[in-house]
């Protein structure tokens, strides 16, 4: 410290100039930790008993809070009564007022004080009165707090009104869509009040809570705190969204949590899954949360969370319909530190295929290991075998798959590899397709676009025809190009014959050659086929939706052949018609006209139709006529006739009525020749009638 001391004998005054005087709590006779360096002037009028102080304190630190440089000014009268004015001005605090002995009355201004304790932190601004009367500190005023954080959670900014009579205080605070009011004690570190929420929102890392309404009662005393209330709002975290109403009672004492809660949930969304309602209940005891949950009647389970080591476990049952898949799974999940294990067992039903599910999961930091066990599923004469799938260290190993129709393998997928990234949550795998179809496929996944499958190749129509040749007595020769692209819930399929396709049939007099095209996106289907051969043609246009498909066709001079032990025929067929199906049943409607020759070796006996599932699902509405006289050969000779009739009902049990109108011919009976001039032959399911 340096200084100058001057005394004026004539005026009886004393003046002191001080430089770098160390200031601490012993110098100022206070209990608070204070430090700084004072420089300034002190003028004392001994005659009038007055003192004037004008200076500053640099590097001022109060309880580890750096206040920078503070200006201090004072005018006082001493003697029997000490009184005067004082000003203390710093970058964070301004204090102006008047003191009388040990009492003080003035004003306080706080300009961004960084308050912090183990529960609360904020930057505080405040203006109000400041009194120190009879040893009691008092203040009444209004202020604001910026970036308020409660137990590490930022709740934004607020304004407040404060009434302090040390150690007790009363506060009313308002923030964005919330209000707090209550009373407490600074000495006891207590608070008793409530928080009213009117659409309050906050976001903390990946957690977002919004539109909160309700009331929460708060009681705090030292290290103890109780919270109870009822709130309603929305919650979002990553792919999870949920609304709900929660009632809770929570307490913390000696660092341990306790309490219970009930949450009625609604509008639950997790990724592509949506649920209307749910219930979550829990009890907090012995540093552990025991909870149970029910999402509609689809997801039921229970679990525990430990506050000691932050471990987590849950187990439950999932019964739900996801798209076209019906799930029935039992699952378990356990988390300890950075290690997560889980399993799911049960079955999934896709269409009429029942698929067993047995999978295990392990995650440690950025490493994941998943195993899907191999399985076999059957539906009638169709058998599908899928090999084991292993995901580990960024690689996917698929042991392959096969599809069999009866005992014949129609599709084979050899073993393949793929890649995935746990951190980015994306996946890529390529597979080859062999058998009746030949091509490649690529499976992709990312959080933004979901699953995407792209496959391209060709289908051997000759091999496919073998599967249904016994029923339709026809076959296709050639191949058709296919392209399949699925994007989440949407898909696109293109079928295109790049080279001519040949149609052969037991009932065709000659093969037909043509092309075909088909496009579908899951909602709309369109396609066409054109076949020609030696003046004959067959054209078809098809269009439909995911529920129904309609095709219209037209044919001209199609050579049709039929042969069995009693009947042979060679005719040319003209006409038009339509096919309509809901992918389970088929309806054929047509108007057909024919001409040509029929050779009757003997009249067949009426057959007893054998009903089966396939033929009963095909319904007929056919009108039949002849565009020229048919020449019909009989054992007795021949006749010319016109044809008219219909066939209705199902393929397995048709209803029909056919009439042959004779216009000429020659028959021989008893070694005599008869010329046919007119007549008819009419028959249906019940009777036959001749006129000649």
């Amino acid at each position: 410290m340096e200084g100058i001391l001057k005394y004026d004998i004539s005026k009886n005054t004393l003046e002191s100039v001080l430089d770098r005087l160390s200031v601490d709590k012993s110098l100022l006779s206070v209990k608070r930790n204070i430090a700084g360096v004072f420089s300034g002037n002190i003028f004392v009028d001994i005659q009038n008993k007055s003192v004037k102080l004008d200076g500053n304190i640099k590097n001022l630190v109060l309880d580890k809070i750096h206040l920078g440089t503070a200006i201090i000014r004072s005018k006082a009268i001493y003697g029997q009564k000490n009184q005067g004015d004082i000003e203390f001005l710093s970058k964070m605090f301004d204090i102006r007022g008047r003191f009388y002995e040990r009492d003080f009355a003035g004003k306080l201004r706080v300009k961004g004080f960084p308050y912090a304790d183990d529960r609360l932190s904020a930057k505080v601004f405040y203006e109000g009165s400041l009194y120190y009367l009879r040893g009691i500190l008092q203040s009444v005023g209004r202020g604001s707090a910026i970036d308020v954080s409660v137990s590490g959670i930022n709740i934004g900014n607020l304004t407040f009104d404060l009434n302090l009579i040390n150690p007790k205080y009363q506060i009313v605070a308002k923030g964005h869509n919330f209000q707090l009011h209550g009373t407490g004690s600074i000495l006891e570190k207590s608070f008793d009040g409530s928080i009213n929420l009117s659409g309050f929102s906050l976001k903390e890392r990946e957690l977002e809570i919004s539109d909160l309404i309700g009331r929460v009662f708060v009681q705090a005393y030292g290290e103890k705190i109780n919270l109870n209330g009822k709130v309603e709002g929305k919650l979002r975290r990553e792919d999870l969204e949920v609304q709900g109403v929660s009632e809770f009672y929570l307490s913390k004492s000696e660092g341990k949590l306790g309490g219970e809660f009930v949450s009625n949930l609604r509008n639950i969304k997790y990724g592509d899954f949506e649920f209307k309602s749910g219930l979550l209940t829990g009890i907090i005891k012995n540093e552990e949360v025991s909870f149970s949950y029910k999402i509609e009647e689809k997801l039921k389970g229970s679990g525990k969370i430990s506050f000691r080591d932050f471990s987590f476990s849950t187990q439950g049952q999932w019964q739900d319909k996801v798209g076209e898949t019906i799930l029935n799974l039992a699952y378990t999940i356990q988390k300890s530190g950075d290690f997560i294990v889980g399993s799911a067992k049960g079955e999934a039903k896709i269409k009429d295929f029942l698929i067993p599910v047995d999978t295990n999961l392990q995650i440690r930091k950025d490493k994941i290991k998943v195993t899907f066990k191999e399985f076999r599923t059957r539906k009638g004469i169709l058998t599908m075998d899928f090999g084991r799938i292993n995901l580990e260290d960024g690689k996917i190993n698929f042991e392959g798959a096969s599809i069999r129709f009866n005992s014949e393998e129609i599709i084979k997928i050899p073993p393949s590899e793929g890649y995935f990234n746990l951190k980015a949550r994306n996946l890529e795998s390529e597979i080859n397709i062999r058998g009746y179809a030949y091509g490649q496929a690529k499976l992709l996944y990312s959080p933004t676009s979901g699953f995407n499958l792209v496959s391209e190749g060709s289908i051997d129509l000759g091999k496919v025809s073998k599967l249904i040749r016994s029923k339709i007595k026809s076959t296709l020769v050639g191949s058709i190009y296919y392209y399949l692209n699925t994007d989440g819930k949407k898909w696109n399929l293109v079928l295109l014959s790049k080279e001519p396709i040949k149609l052969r049939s037991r009932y065709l007099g000659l093969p037909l050659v043509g092309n075909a095209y088909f496009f579908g996106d899951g909602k709309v289907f369109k396609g066409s086929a054109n076949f020609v051969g030696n003046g004959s043609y067959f054209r078809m246009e098809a269009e439909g939706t995911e529920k129904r498909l309609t095709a219209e066709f037209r044919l001209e001079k199609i050579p049709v052949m039929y042969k069995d032990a009693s009947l042979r025929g060679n005719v040319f067929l003209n006409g038009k018609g339509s096919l309509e199906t809901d992918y389970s049943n088929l309806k054929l409607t047509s108007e057909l006209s024919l001409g040509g020759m029929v050779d009757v070796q003997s009249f067949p006996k009426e057959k007893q139709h054998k009903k089966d599932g396939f033929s009963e699902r095909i319904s007929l509405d056919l009108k039949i006529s002849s565009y020229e006289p048919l020449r019909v050969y009989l054992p007795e000779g021949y006749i010319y006739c016109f044809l008219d009739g219909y066939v209705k009902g199902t393929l397995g049990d048709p209803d029909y009525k056919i009439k042959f109108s004779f216009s000429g011919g020659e028959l021989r009976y008893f070694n005599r020749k008869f010329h046919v001039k007119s007549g008819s032959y009419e028959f249906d399911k019940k009777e036959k009638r001749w006129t000649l």
Side-chain angles (χ1 to χ4, degrees):
M1 181 193 74
E2 295 182 357
I4 300 174
L5 182 63
K6 296 180 180 179
Y7 177 71
D8 189 329
I9 298 176
S10 61
K11 297 180 179 180
N12 197 17
T13 61
L14 181 67
E15 182 177 1
S16 175
V17 179
L18 301 176
D19 188 23
R20 296 190 296 278
L21 172 64
S22 295
V23 177
D24 55 24
K25 63 180 181 180
S26 60
L27 179 66
L28 300 177
S29 298
V30 295
K31 297 180 180 180
R32 306 291 293 274
N33 292 319
I34 187 171
V37 179
F38 175 80
S39 298
N41 300 321
I42 301 175
F43 181 82
V44 180
D45 187 335
I46 299 173
Q47 182 69 32
N48 297 318
K49 295 184 178 181
S50 65
V51 179
K52 182 179 180 181
L53 173 67
D54 190 354
N56 60 70
I57 303 176
K58 294 182 178 181
N59 301 322
L60 180 60
V61 178
L62 176 61
D63 291 336
K64 297 182 180 180
I65 301 172
H66 294 269
L67 302 178
T69 299
I71 298 172
I72 184 168
R73 302 188 186 101
S74 179
K75 292 181 180 179
I77 298 173
Y78 64 92
Q80 292 182 348
K81 300 290 184 180
N82 299 322
Q83 58 181 317
D85 299 317
I86 189 169
E87 282 187 339
F88 177 89
L89 309 176
S90 71
K91 69 176 184 179
M92 289 187 187
F93 297 99
D94 287 350
I95 298 174
R96 292 181 173 91
R98 184 171 182 80
F99 64 88
Y100 184 85
E101 292 294 339
R102 291 182 176 274
D103 294 338
F104 173 84
K107 292 184 177 181
L108 169 65
R109 184 183 182 192
V110 182
K111 301 178 291 182
F113 173 64
Y115 177 82
D117 60 25
D118 53 355
R119 289 200 199 112
L120 179 69
S121 65
K123 198 171 187 178
V124 180
F125 297 82
Y126 177 77
E127 287 191 31
S129 61
L130 183 64
Y131 296 92
Y132 187 81
L133 302 174
R134 298 179 184 140
I136 298 175
L137 181 67
Q138 302 178 44
S139 180
V140 178
R142 175 168 294 180
S144 63
I146 297 175
D147 293 330
V148 181
S149 180
V150 180
S151 298
I153 300 175
N154 190 292
I155 62 171
N157 305 331
L158 57 82
T159 60
F160 63 89
D161 293 311
L162 177 67
N163 187 345
L164 170 68
I165 302 177
N166 196 49
K168 296 182 178 181
Y169 65 90
Q170 181 179 349
I171 187 170
V172 177
K174 293 181 180 180
H176 184 62
N177 294 327
F178 75 91
Q179 181 173 335
L180 176 147
H181 58 85
T183 60
S185 168
I186 296 175
L187 181 64
E188 297 172 345
K189 292 185 178 181
S190 65
F191 176 80
D192 190 349
S194 64
I195 303 172
N196 293 319
L197 306 170
S198 55
F200 175 69
S201 300
L202 65 86
K203 187 173 183 180
E204 183 67 19
R205 297 180 182 176
E206 298 175 349
L207 178 65
E208 182 179 349
I209 299 175
S210 60
D211 302 331
L212 280 180
I213 58 174
R215 193 174 187 183
V216 180
F217 295 92
V218 183
Q219 290 181 319
Y221 189 89
E223 297 299 321
K224 297 180 180 180
I225 185 169
N226 294 325
L227 300 174
N228 70 86
K230 182 178 181 179
V231 296
E232 178 179 358
K234 301 176 183 178
L235 179 145
R236 174 182 292 179
R237 181 171 183 175
E238 295 182 344
D239 295 334
L240 175 65
E241 293 183 36
V242 63
Q243 300 178 30
V245 178
S246 298
E247 295 185 61
F248 55 88
Y249 171 77
L250 304 175
S251 65
K252 184 178 181 181
S253 178
E254 298 179 355
K256 295 182 179 181
L257 289 175
E260 57 187 40
F261 58 88
V262 177
S263 298
N264 289 288
L265 311 175
R266 65 180 187 273
N267 299 331
I268 306 163
K269 296 180 181 180
Y270 184 76
D272 294 332
F273 298 105
E274 294 187 14
F275 305 96
K276 293 181 180 179
S277 62
L279 178 66
L280 174 65
T281 62
I283 297 175
I284 305 172
K285 187 178 181 181
N286 298 327
E287 300 185 77
E288 190 173 77
V289 181
S290 299
F291 61 90
S292 62
Y293 51 89
K294 180 172 70 172
I295 309 299
E296 295 179 352
E297 293 297 326
K298 300 175 180 179
L299 191 66
K300 299 178 182 179
S302 60
K304 292 183 178 181
I305 301 173
S306 172
F307 294 120
R308 291 186 295 271
D309 55 8
F310 297 101
S311 61
F312 167 85
S313 66
T314 182
Q315 57 281 324
Q317 191 79 19
W318 185 17
Q319 295 176 320
D320 194 8
K321 184 176 182 181
V322 181
E324 297 297 323
T325 304
I326 299 175
L327 294 174
N328 186 359
L329 300 176
Y331 62 88
T332 61
I333 302 173
Q334 292 180 318
K335 179 181 182 297
S336 179
D338 57 6
F339 187 54
I340 300 174
V341 295
S343 65
K345 292 184 179 181
E347 59 187 25
K349 189 175 183 180
I350 304 175
K351 298 294 185 181
D352 291 329
F353 289 96
L354 196 62
I355 299 174
V357 176
D358 190 346
T359 180
N360 294 283
L361 165 73
Q362 293 183 9
I363 300 176
R364 188 185 294 275
K365 293 184 178 179
D366 292 335
K367 293 186 177 182
I368 182 171
K369 181 179 180 180
V370 182
T371 301
F372 296 91
K373 291 187 177 180
E374 64 278 1
F375 66 88
R376 167 176 286 187
T377 181
R378 287 190 177 96
K379 173 61 178 175
I381 57 177
L382 197 65
T383 302
M384 294 187 290
D385 288 293
F386 285 83
R388 182 184 294 259
I389 302 175
N390 294 312
L391 290 77
E392 187 172 7
D393 296 334
K395 289 185 178 181
I396 305 170
N397 291 295
F398 176 39
E399 294 182 354
S402 69
I403 302 175
R404 293 181 178 272
F405 191 84
N406 283 330
S407 60
E408 183 170 357
E409 186 176 66
I410 60 174
I411 295 293
K412 182 175 179 61
I413 299 175
S416 60
E417 291 187 352
Y419 303 92
F420 71 93
N421 186 309
L422 179 61
K423 191 173 183 180
R425 295 171 62 194
N426 55 32
L427 173 149
E428 179 178 336
S429 180
E430 294 186 5
I431 60 175
N432 295 315
I433 301 171
R434 301 290 183 265
Y436 285 26
Y438 189 93
Q440 293 78 38
K442 178 180 285 189
L443 179 64
L444 304 169
Y445 174 80
S446 70
T448 54
S449 60
F451 280 102
N452 181 250
L453 174 67
V454 180
S455 182
E456 186 176 18
S458 62
I459 301 172
D460 191 323
L461 297 177
K463 292 181 178 180
V464 174
S465 298
K466 287 169 55 179
L467 301 178
I468 55 176
R469 182 184 298 168
S470 62
K471 292 187 179 293
I472 65 173
K473 311 298 183 183
S474 303
T475 184
L476 289 168
V477 180
S479 63
I480 192 165
Y481 163 83
Y482 77 88
Y483 175 79
L484 174 65
N485 187 343
T486 68
D487 182 8
K489 295 181 179 179
K490 299 180 180 179
W491 58 268
N492 293 294
L493 174 64
V494 175
L495 299 175
L496 174 65
S497 57
K498 293 185 176 181
E499 297 180 355
I501 300 171
K502 185 175 290 187
L503 172 61
R504 292 175 177 169
S505 175
R506 172 182 174 180
Y507 305 114
L508 284 177
L510 55 84
L512 299 179
V513 178
N515 57 72
Y517 169 78
F518 173 85
F519 166 79
D521 63 1
K523 294 183 178 180
V524 178
F525 309 101
K526 292 183 179 181
S528 65
N530 292 278
F531 288 90
V532 298
N534 197 23
S536 305
Y537 73 80
F538 171 82
R539 297 191 181 102
M540 183 174 68
E541 299 284 339
E543 185 171 350
T545 66
E546 57 187 352
K547 295 183 178 180
R548 188 169 295 275
L549 179 67
T550 302
E552 295 184 353
F553 62 86
R554 182 176 291 275
L555 40 89
E556 184 74 29
K557 293 183 179 180
I558 299 296
V560 177
M561 298 176 60
Y562 182 82
K563 181 180 179 181
D564 63 19
S566 58
L567 184 67
R568 296 180 182 181
N570 289 300
V571 298
F572 289 92
L573 201 58
N574 299 332
K576 62 180 181 179
S578 65
L579 295 167
E580 188 174 349
T581 178
D582 59 1
Y583 308 109
S584 177
N585 303 297
L586 175 68
K587 182 180 180 181
L588 171 61
T589 304
S590 69
E591 295 180 4
L592 302 176
S593 180
L594 54 89
M597 180 272 293
V598 178
D599 186 358
V600 180
Q601 301 294 319
S602 63
F603 287 99
K605 296 181 180 180
E606 186 172 348
K607 296 180 180 180
Q608 192 71 26
H609 292 284
K610 184 179 180 181
K611 297 182 180 181
D612 58 54
F614 178 78
S615 59
E616 287 300 308
R617 292 198 300 270
I618 299 178
S619 60
L620 306 172
D621 186 2
L622 310 179
K623 294 181 180 180
I624 304 172
S625 64
S626 58
Y627 61 83
E628 65 180 18
L630 291 170
R631 186 180 179 100
V632 180
Y633 290 95
L634 302 169
E636 296 84 1
Y638 67 91
I639 57 174
Y640 291 99
C641 62
F642 287 92
L643 173 66
D644 185 51
Y646 67 81
V647 180
K648 296 183 178 181
T650 66
L651 182 62
D653 186 16
D655 182 26
Y656 54 87
K657 186 175 184 179
I658 307 296
K659 182 179 181 180
F660 292 92
S661 299
F662 306 140
S663 60
E666 187 177 284
L667 300 175
R668 184 177 293 274
Y669 294 101
F670 310 109
N671 294 321
R672 298 187 68 177
K673 186 184 293 185
F674 295 89
H675 295 281
V676 178
K677 290 185 177 181
S678 65
S680 66
Y681 172 57
E682 187 174 352
F683 64 94
D684 54 28
K685 289 181 68 173
K686 296 181 180 179
E687 59 180 346
K688 304 178 181 66
R689 292 178 295 276
W690 279 92
T691 59
L692 186 62

